[in-house]
Amino acid sequence: MNAHGPIVAVYPGSFDPVTLGHEDVVRRTLRFSDRLVVAVAESATQPKGHLFPVAERLEIMREVFAGEPRVECVAFSGLLVDFARTLGARFIIRGLRAVSDFDYEFQMAQMNRELWEEVETLFLTPDVHYSFLSASLVREVASLGGDVGSFVSPVVLDRLRRRYS
């Protein structure tokens, strides 16, 4: 906490499913924030089909981060900056796996800044072991019967196995 109150960050995404790369970004964000709101988007900004409904994604996220009281998992819809403002968040956290992510994320960060000049977007790269990892890649491998146990937590692995069995 600082003189202006707690430092709140929001980490938005679909998290379908949450991967170890996402978990890495969450844990590293806690190094500089007092509270992190993991915001599960009810509607995607990019068209993609969902494996788990929002309610189940939230349930999974809450299980994954059950031991961390500074992490709150909630669903949101509408403009991210409006949601962040209602939380008093000073930072929007975005993960960048590769240079190819940057163009889209940069545009979104600039638009968010135009909509609310007080918010800052911080880009974090995941640990090198997770730099290639995406939720869609995990879904695809799992759907084809591949072992994704080294890419997701046991909670997520159990849900994926049940979904694809």
Side-chain angles (χ1 to χ4, degrees):
M1 190 176 311
N2 66 20
H4 302 287
I7 297 171
V8 179
V10 61
Y11 180 28
S14 60
F15 306 108
D16 188 33
V18 60
T19 68
L20 293 179
H22 294 127
E23 290 185 43
D24 179 60
V25 169
V26 165
R27 287 178 173 56
R28 289 184 27 246
T29 299
L30 292 174
R31 293 178 185 170
F32 59 84
S33 67
D34 300 308
R35 177 175 162 232
L36 174 61
V37 177
V38 178
V40 178
E42 292 183 7
S43 57
T45 55
Q46 297 178 349
K48 52 182 152 181
H50 292 292
L51 176 62
F52 297 107
V54 171
E56 191 170 1
R57 282 183 268 155
L58 278 173
E59 192 176 289
I60 293 168
M61 296 289 283
R62 289 174 180 146
E63 287 181 50
V64 167
F65 296 110
E68 181 46 73
R70 297 182 301 151
V71 174
E72 178 184 357
C73 303
V74 299
F76 85 100
S77 61
L79 286 174
L80 175 61
V81 291
D82 291 342
F83 179 71
R85 188 182 294 126
T86 65
L87 297 170
R90 295 174 49 197
F91 302 105
I92 294 172
I93 306 301
R94 297 300 295 160
L96 291 179
R97 295 174 309 235
V99 173
S100 58
D101 290 342
F102 182 75
D103 187 48
Y104 174 77
E105 293 296 342
F106 181 76
Q107 290 175 25
M108 291 300 296
Q110 291 298 101
M111 178 58 78
N112 287 338
R113 188 71 195 244
E114 285 294 316
L115 295 172
W116 184 35
E117 66 183 25
E118 295 174 36
V119 73
E120 295 291 343
T121 299
L122 300 179
F123 298 113
L124 294 180
T125 56
D127 183 277
V128 69
H129 297 101
Y130 309 124
S131 62
F132 67 94
L133 192 56
S134 69
S136 57
L137 188 56
V138 166
R139 284 193 312 269
E140 184 175 351
V141 171
S143 74
L144 297 170
D147 180 11
V148 295
S150 59
F151 310 127
V152 297
S153 69
V155 167
V156 178
L157 184 61
D158 180 58
R159 296 285 184 122
L160 286 168
R161 286 180 174 154
R162 282 191 271 160
R163 180 60 47 112
Y164 289 120
S165 64

